[in-house]
Amino acid sequence: MAYYSIEEMKKTLEEYPKFQDRLYCKGFLITNKKQNIGGEYPFYSNWSEQQIANDFYMYIHKETYSYTYEKNGVIHFLVGHAYDPYNMLVEEKDILENLANALEKDEETYWEEESKLTGVFCVGYLLDDKVVYTTDCAGMQLVYHGVIDGKLFITSHGKLVADLEGLKQPEYIKRLTTNKYWHYWGTWLPGDLAPFEELKRMVPNHAGRYLKQTSEIDIFRFYPTRKVVETSTEKEYNDTIHELGRVMSNTMKCIAMKWPEKKVSISVTGGRDSMTALACSKDVYDKFDYFSYISNVDESVDAYAAKDILAHLGLEHELYQIPEEWDGYEELPAFKKVMECNNGCIGANNTNDLKKRLYFTENPPCDMEIKSWVNEMGRGWYYNKYNKKKFPKYPYASYWRTMHKVYLEKYLIKETDKVFAEYLEKYYDKETFDKISWLELYFWEFAWSGGEGIFLTTEHRVSYDITIPFNNRKYVELMLTVPLEKRKVDDIPNDLITYMEPRIAETGITIKDISHTNFRAFVVRVYLEIFSKIRYGKKKEKY
């Protein structure tokens, strides 16, 4: 893994100008420091400037959507895309107007309405004395934020700000990301760290409040507001499944209404998550296309299962084979540099994934992919990963560190425990963990945002745009009301598919995760039990 300097990237992009618009693709920057977005690195005239207040500017990549709405001196903004399956709003101007009306009542009403939104976005508002902002439900729109020399920076790409402000990666990040075990379980940083210490990752269910008078950021939690209570009867469970189906059916209708002129495709794998999205699209099957791709042998099982299920439904299915040999791969080394700059130079991209992204950049299968991510939050995911029945009631830093990655070096264990201890102190308290299990919040606010949010923002959306119908706070909360034992065995997707589109269940086709075996669960469980007990820092947390 290498860190690419401005000089090296300038040289690379002069030699390969076709990749200039892939650098920080679909990105944004909101700041009160005016930028030059001309033809030089890193913008290359691919960005536009919008002055959203007397001293604030929004810089937007040419493939990024941005919206503003002003009411009674408050400027509301949204970067990315959103839709509201509860109020059936699909236009951002209507969504911002609804949020503006809610804020005039009170902040609690504002966050209640914001929690009804689905999509991939950063949203917020500006007043005379402050700026308030947050990311979407699960942080699928990666947002970094920080104050540098008294100026606020809110961005999708940390290295963009580093390039503009001359930031350097700290030694800890360098040692962490060059550790030989770093690539295990994905390349994502501990806690709320960004690749540069001047920035932090925006943690879902929190908002940033930048106070103009002090030039400081205050982070506050706005969710959960109450304890999530599990259903206790079969009737309550069935009612929950029906409500999940109603909301998701509305969601798929919103997507169909939102992009009528674009090719919007559901990526199907034969797995429970994509089949749930497919089942809930029953009323608008004719509005979508359907595709799968094969980039390695393992993906063929999923792709052909999806093809059989769609054939049973009478729907056409496009199957894309990523070629092993293609002339475009000659440019892979340059593309690799761009992609790794996009993720902040925190890890080398998988070669197979790079080939897939490069191929789809020039041969996109759709304009907008409907991806089934975030639905995994409805499962007892870590109970299954570790084949473990019980976890500590409250977390501690070394436990989060051991669940995050493989840490064997004393220095990295000690420093990472310090990072997680500060993270837990900053974002959590006993009251929060009593409302929603810390294990669910680990997955929701750390693993998905810190991991999948990076991949979606800096890698997946380089080729074409993506929306995630399950990325809705109210929907996720509703899934978490299902008893854990039902969630662990996938009752939610299985029963939802049967309820919404029984023809899928009729096929009897199911895909087993071949990467999950009892032996693998045993190995990671042993690692968890041993290494979580190695604690060099604080011995007791505040819970």
Side-chain angles (χ1 to χ4, degrees):
M1 196 280 292
Y3 185 88
Y4 303 109
S5 67
I6 292 175
E7 290 70 25
E8 183 174 358
M9 289 309 298
K10 281 182 178 179
K11 183 177 179 181
T12 298
L13 292 172
E14 285 171 4
E15 187 176 353
Y16 296 91
K18 65 183 293 182
F19 293 139
Q20 290 178 2
D21 63 357
R22 297 303 91 191
L23 182 69
Y24 311 134
C25 178
K26 295 183 176 66
F28 70 89
L29 170 64
I30 300 172
T31 180
N32 50 348
K33 184 174 182 179
K34 188 173 175 59
Q35 306 294 323
N36 176 12
I37 58 170
E40 298 300 316
Y41 180 92
F43 294 110
Y44 289 115
S45 299
N46 290 310
W47 293 60
S48 62
E49 176 188 276
Q50 180 182 357
Q51 187 169 0
I52 55 176
N54 290 335
D55 52 353
F56 270 88
Y57 300 87
M58 184 186 292
Y59 296 96
I60 299 296
H61 184 269
K62 66 181 183 180
E63 296 176 13
T64 304
Y65 302 105
S66 66
Y67 311 87
T68 59
Y69 177 85
E70 183 173 0
K71 184 174 185 181
N72 295 333
V74 182
I75 300 172
H76 295 261
F77 64 86
L78 190 150
V79 182
H81 69 262
Y83 38 96
D84 179 346
Y86 290 88
N87 296 312
M88 294 306 288
L89 301 176
V90 299
E91 299 293 338
E92 281 76 10
K93 62 180 180 60
D94 296 329
I95 288 170
L96 289 178
E97 181 179 2
N98 184 52
L99 290 175
N101 293 336
L103 185 62
E104 288 196 328
K105 295 179 181 177
D106 51 54
E107 280 203 356
E108 182 179 345
T109 304
Y110 177 88
W111 294 116
E112 176 71 14
E113 290 304 308
E114 192 275 340
S115 294
K116 296 176 181 177
L117 299 182
T118 309
V120 179
F121 58 85
C122 171
V123 67
Y125 59 88
L126 291 85
L127 288 166
D128 290 337
D129 60 339
K130 65 183 177 182
V131 182
V132 177
Y133 53 92
T134 190
T135 181
D136 54 57
C137 165
M140 293 295 93
Q141 173 57 70
L142 180 64
V143 175
Y144 291 123
H145 60 128
V147 175
I148 304 171
D149 295 330
K151 300 296 184 181
L152 175 66
F153 291 83
I154 308 170
T155 187
S156 53
H157 294 78
K159 195 172 185 300
L160 169 63
V161 176
D163 290 341
L164 297 172
E165 295 297 306
L167 308 184
K168 305 297 182 183
Q169 275 195 344
E171 287 302 313
Y172 167 69
I173 298 292
K174 292 178 182 178
R175 290 185 64 174
L176 187 66
T177 57
T178 54
N179 168 40
K180 69 177 182 178
Y181 301 106
W182 175 245
H183 65 284
Y184 291 173
W185 304 346
T187 52
W188 46 304
L189 299 174
D192 63 349
L193 294 190
F196 309 93
E197 62 184 359
E198 293 85 352
L199 302 171
K200 298 296 181 186
R201 175 179 61 87
M202 187 79 250
V203 177
N205 300 326
H206 293 78
R209 183 190 291 115
Y210 172 75
L211 305 175
K212 296 181 182 179
Q213 185 175 4
T214 61
S215 295
E216 294 179 347
I217 295 174
D218 168 45
I219 305 297
F220 64 94
R221 176 180 286 279
F222 62 83
Y223 178 86
T225 59
R226 59 185 179 274
K227 181 177 176 60
V228 175
V229 179
E230 292 185 352
T231 58
S232 58
T233 69
E234 196 63 22
K235 181 182 185 306
E236 288 177 340
Y237 170 71
N238 288 331
D239 288 345
T240 299
I241 291 296
H242 295 172
E243 177 62 7
L244 288 169
R246 184 190 73 82
V247 174
M248 192 50 56
S249 177
N250 281 352
T251 299
M252 304 312 289
K253 291 174 185 175
C254 283
I255 295 174
M257 291 188 291
K258 189 169 184 63
W259 295 288
E261 304 303 321
K262 291 188 175 184
K263 183 178 181 181
V264 181
S265 300
I266 300 179
S267 58
V268 285
T269 65
R272 295 296 85 186
D273 298 316
S274 69
M275 288 301 105
T276 300
L278 179 64
C280 294
S281 303
K282 183 176 181 180
D283 293 338
V284 285
Y285 276 157
D286 60 324
K287 305 296 182 182
F288 300 134
D289 291 272
Y290 307 89
F291 80 100
S292 305
Y293 56 77
I294 300 174
S295 63
N296 58 50
V297 175
D298 291 343
E299 291 174 345
S300 62
V301 175
D302 286 357
Y304 287 115
K307 190 175 187 67
D308 289 344
I309 291 171
L310 286 164
H312 185 72
L313 298 179
L315 300 172
E316 293 187 13
H317 175 254
E318 297 175 282
L319 180 58
Y320 294 88
Q321 181 80 49
I322 310 300
E324 293 186 12
E325 302 293 333
W326 178 53
D327 291 343
Y329 294 152
E330 295 177 2
E331 300 170 325
L332 200 64
F335 186 68
K336 177 177 184 290
K337 291 182 180 181
V338 171
M339 295 292 278
E340 290 179 14
C341 280
N342 286 352
N343 73 17
C345 294
I346 59 170
N349 291 77
N350 177 283
T351 300
N352 183 68
D353 289 339
L354 281 173
K355 286 184 174 181
K356 181 166 52 182
R357 289 297 138 220
L358 180 56
Y359 181 78
F360 276 152
T361 295
E362 298 199 15
N363 305 276
C366 58
D367 300 312
M368 178 69 71
E369 174 190 356
I370 302 174
K371 187 179 280 294
S372 59
W373 282 5
V374 182
N375 198 40
E376 289 89 339
M377 288 186 193
R379 300 192 171 105
W381 204 85
Y382 286 103
Y383 289 91
N384 292 324
K385 175 179 177 177
Y386 295 103
N387 196 11
K388 188 173 167 65
K389 294 182 178 180
K390 188 175 181 181
F391 287 83
K393 184 174 182 180
Y394 298 109
Y396 45 91
S398 60
Y399 211 90
W400 279 46
R401 177 250 303 158
T402 313
M403 289 177 64
H404 175 218
K405 278 187 165 295
V406 176
Y407 292 93
L408 301 181
E409 182 185 333
K410 180 177 179 179
Y411 167 81
L412 291 181
I413 290 175
K414 184 176 181 179
E415 291 301 305
T416 305
D417 277 3
K418 180 180 177 182
V419 170
F420 276 119
E422 292 174 352
Y423 175 75
L424 287 166
E425 182 75 23
K426 183 177 180 180
Y427 293 100
Y428 299 101
D429 55 28
K430 182 178 181 296
E431 183 181 359
T432 300
F433 290 140
D434 287 341
K435 290 175 180 174
I436 296 182
S437 162
W438 73 265
L439 208 58
E440 307 295 357
L441 291 174
Y442 177 98
F443 197 38
W444 184 343
E445 299 181 349
F446 173 59
W448 267 101
S449 176
E452 307 305 335
I454 289 178
F455 303 147
L456 193 82
T457 298
T458 68
E459 180 180 328
H460 289 251
R461 293 173 69 206
V462 167
S463 302
Y464 46 80
D465 211 349
I466 293 171
T467 192
I468 304 176
F470 300 103
N471 192 26
N472 181 288
R473 190 171 295 108
K474 284 187 168 294
Y475 188 87
V476 171
E477 179 180 83
L478 193 58
M479 286 195 292
L480 294 180
T481 65
V482 172
L484 176 61
E485 293 307 312
K486 284 182 172 292
R487 291 192 280 120
K488 284 163 59 175
V489 294
D490 282 351
D491 275 0
I492 293 178
N494 289 334
D495 291 341
L496 194 51
I497 290 167
T498 300
Y499 172 63
M500 297 299 293
E501 177 56 283
R503 290 183 296 168
I504 294 177
E506 287 172 3
T507 66
I509 298 174
T510 58
I511 301 297
K512 181 176 176 59
D513 182 0
I514 60 173
S515 67
H516 180 76
T517 63
N518 288 335
F519 178 73
R520 178 173 178 173
F522 170 75
V523 171
V524 295
R525 186 172 69 253
V526 168
Y527 168 72
L528 176 67
E529 300 299 346
I530 294 175
F531 280 83
S532 65
K533 292 178 172 59
I534 301 175
R535 306 168 74 178
Y536 294 106
K538 192 175 180 180
K539 298 300 181 183
K540 288 186 178 295
E541 269 64 12
K542 60 184 177 180
Y543 319 112

